[in-house]
Amino acid sequence: MNQFLPINKKEMTDRGWDEVDFVYITGDAYVDHPSFGASIITRVLEAKGFKVAVLPQPDCRSTADFVQFGKPRLAFLITSGNIDSMVAHYTVAKKKRSKDAYTAGGVTGKRPDRAVTVYSKTARRAYPDVPIVIGGLEASLRRFAHYDYWSDNVRPSILIESGADLLIHGMGENQIIEVAERLNSGESITTMRDIKGTTYAVDVRETPYIGTECPSFENVSTSKKEYAKAARIQQDEQDHIRGRVVKQKHGKTMIVQNQPMPPLTTAELDWVYSLPYTRTYHPSYEPLGGVAGIQEVEFSITHNRGCFGACNFCSIAFHQGRYVTTRSKESIVAEAEMLTKLPNFKGYIHDIGGPTANFRKPSCALQEEHGLCKGKKCLAPKPCPNLTADHSEYLEILRAVRNLPNVKKVFIRSGIRYDYLLQDKDDAFFRELVKYHVSGQLKVAPEHCSAAVLDKMGKPHIEAYIEFSKRYFEYTGKVNKEQYLVPYLMSSHPGSTLDDAVELALFLKKNHIRPEQVQDFYPTPGTISTAMYYTGLDPYTMQEVYCTKNPHEKALQRALLQYYVADNRPLVEEALRRAHRTDLIGTSDKCLIRPSAPQRKQQNSRKKSNKRNRRT
């Protein structure tokens, strides 16, 4: 059986270790599965011969947890965990969440707010001379000055706030290997200024001459126009082929982001996913109820990274990048075979996916030489003429896995880009998706129906969803299955007005769609949509964008998307009156809600009065 890395001093000494090379601190419980970034980075270091201890969810009120392994020989490595600590703690309404899927027993409060910063400062108190390297989603998306939704202001780079020595942005395997090997050779962390995929801070007098500079922290803090300019520059340079060094001044300090690290090759990805993960949570969590975050991914397989869809509200383009890389068929099938031998396997592979499940290759041949187009999207508002849509290799993998002994079903639960699927002239994948890979319902993300809102989201127009839906149910009928589409919808995204929300409600009614859940737009660091929300400007056009920040108007937009829920009726009525759409309050089929009892009584009274007047 594979062995967990040590999470306390006893487990370290049981291995016969007197010291460790790295202490890896994470805001999550320790789950040793390749869907967890902490697991991947620690296993990569282990495979390269380094001794790594994992310190999950340490108590930051003292340094006791931080010193239990002794002084790490090379560095502290720090992450908030799989997701941003603020998103983990708070809803979009800034209310405390009741459960934490990445903590044993779902208990909340086991990691601090702004975990990377708090952990870094505590580690610095414990051992002031030990290098601190930060990474993961929370650090990666905050590498520049950024709008912080929870405090409603612009905060400096997390390198400044945390006091860390180096920040790894993006997927960090090759970065951490180079950092580790150079530290091991005796090099100081302060001289590591040439590693791709890293960000560092220097005195402005040491600013490198290469690259481009975006507006300073001081400028973006006082000018929303300057913030929008900075956001565009930062997004445009996230390409490993054409991306440049990006600099941002913070007072007398310069934040320098090196060019992105090239994505892992297929051979490198295969190696990463072949490492000896235990594929479950540490046994110490069993008495606490285990860690819920493993449930959806325990029998899932990641086959790709990157997403050229690049929706404006999604952080993947800024973190993983838009360039799609994939594992080999042999690696995926080998992992599937291994899953069938696990004790809890019931015959179901829950997913073979990634950021976008049906992306298997880069979007076109041109990007191999020139990189992805700056300021343009491959799929929105319409697919690029150079797009190559081909599902043949992905379909071959799905067929191979579903034909393995002991595999009953292979589902696809991560996102499908239906607009990309429609561009494939061969409908074999579409048909087999419907026939074999849907577990009763397929989740897709049209997000809205208003063209104006979808343009701000960077999503295709609704006609693509309508066409996909039509063909989905046509193919479903041909295989005599009762299957459904579950559309993800978003309210209050920048650009969305009450009129747009009414338009979406009418679209839902016309198409007999009743969403069980609706997500308010959540302004998280590192996205173009968040830049729009904060500045009221589109960074790519510098034109004004309507953004609702009023909680009540957000509630009105959200209620319209669930107009049929009885408790929403007062909000829906208010929204319709504000939008001057009282024609949608009535008893005809076109209406969203029926009149209230007093309104019906008043209407009936008017009708009777009109009849009397006619008789007179």
Side-chain angles (χ1 to χ4, degrees), residues 22-62:
F22 296 98
V23 173
Y24 188 100
I25 302 170
T26 174
D28 292 342
Y30 179 29
V31 182
D32 186 31
H33 188 282
S35 291
F36 290 70
S39 181
I40 287 179
I41 296 299
T42 54
R43 288 298 184 185
V44 162
L45 286 169
E46 178 191 43
K48 293 296 180 178
F50 295 99
K51 296 176 181 178
V52 186
V54 178
L55 181 56
Q57 301 182 322
D59 186 344
C60 296
R61 291 172 293 183
S62 75

Side-chain angles (χ1 to χ4, degrees), residues 149-422:
Y149 174 66
W150 303 275
S151 59
D152 193 27
N153 64 11
V154 177
R155 299 178 78 101
S157 165
I158 196 170
L159 266 175
I160 302 289
E161 290 202 321
S162 69
D165 298 292
L166 192 67
L167 183 155
I168 290 175
H169 59 262
M171 310 302 281
E173 293 95 342
N174 282 341
Q175 294 97 306
I176 198 62
I177 290 170
E178 185 169 350
V179 169
E181 289 178 344
R182 288 168 66 166
L183 285 171
N184 194 46
S185 71
E187 184 176 346
S188 169
I189 193 77
T190 60
T191 64
M192 296 184 193
R193 298 179 181 176
D194 59 337
I195 302 174
K196 290 185 175 182
T198 64
T199 302
Y200 61 92
V202 292
D203 187 288
V204 291
R205 293 169 292 185
E206 300 175 50
T207 302
Y209 292 110
I210 59 174
T212 184
E213 187 171 343
C214 65
S216 69
F217 167 62
E218 291 75 18
N219 284 356
V220 301
S221 299
T222 56
S223 167
K224 293 185 176 180
K225 188 174 181 179
E226 290 292 282
Y227 188 102
K229 288 179 181 178
R232 176 170 180 171
I233 292 170
Q234 292 157 17
Q235 289 285 340
D236 282 348
E237 301 304 330
Q238 302 311 309
D239 185 273
H240 72 281
I241 294 174
R242 58 163 179 75
R244 297 174 292 174
V245 168
V246 181
K247 299 166 284 189
Q248 187 179 52
K249 191 169 176 283
H250 286 58
K252 296 181 179 180
T253 299
M254 185 67 76
I255 298 297
V256 183
Q257 174 196 266
N258 286 328
Q259 294 164 297
M261 177 67 78
L264 298 188
T265 64
T266 293
E268 288 171 331
L269 275 172
D270 287 354
W271 173 73
V272 165
Y273 285 92
S274 72
L275 297 175
Y277 307 99
T278 60
R279 307 189 78 86
T280 188
Y281 49 76
H282 192 276
S284 63
Y285 302 130
E286 194 63 45
L288 303 174
V291 181
I294 188 67
Q295 294 172 0
E296 279 295 311
V297 298
E298 185 176 7
F299 299 108
S300 296
I301 299 172
T302 299
H303 83 94
N304 65 4
R305 285 186 181 177
C307 180
F308 55 75
C311 301
N312 286 339
F313 52 81
C314 180
S315 61
I316 290 173
F318 198 54
H319 182 61
Q320 287 194 17
R322 295 167 60 196
Y323 189 88
V324 172
T325 54
T326 53
R327 293 167 61 189
S328 69
K329 174 185 173 183
E330 293 74 19
S331 171
I332 296 162
V333 172
E335 183 173 350
E337 289 177 326
M338 181 270 298
L339 292 180
T340 67
K341 296 178 175 62
L342 295 179
N344 294 331
F345 186 71
K346 306 297 183 185
Y348 300 97
I349 304 287
H350 294 160
D351 192 22
I352 298 180
T356 295
N358 57 323
F359 287 175
R360 185 68 194 162
K361 297 179 180 180
S363 58
C364 72
L366 293 173
Q367 63 187 255
E368 299 285 1
E369 181 180 354
H370 303 289
L372 285 111
C373 298
K374 185 185 291 189
K376 295 181 180 179
K377 296 187 182 296
C378 301
L379 288 165
K382 293 182 179 180
C384 174
N386 295 319
L387 181 74
T388 302
D390 182 0
H391 292 83
S392 58
E393 191 176 273
Y394 186 39
L395 184 55
E396 189 178 311
I397 290 166
L398 293 170
R399 287 170 175 168
V401 174
R402 73 176 185 243
N403 287 326
L404 289 174
N406 302 317
V407 172
K408 297 176 182 176
K409 288 280 186 180
V410 178
F411 298 122
I412 299 174
R413 290 184 176 173
S414 51
I416 288 280
R417 281 299 294 241
Y418 55 82
D419 48 341
Y420 176 75
L421 186 156
L422 291 173

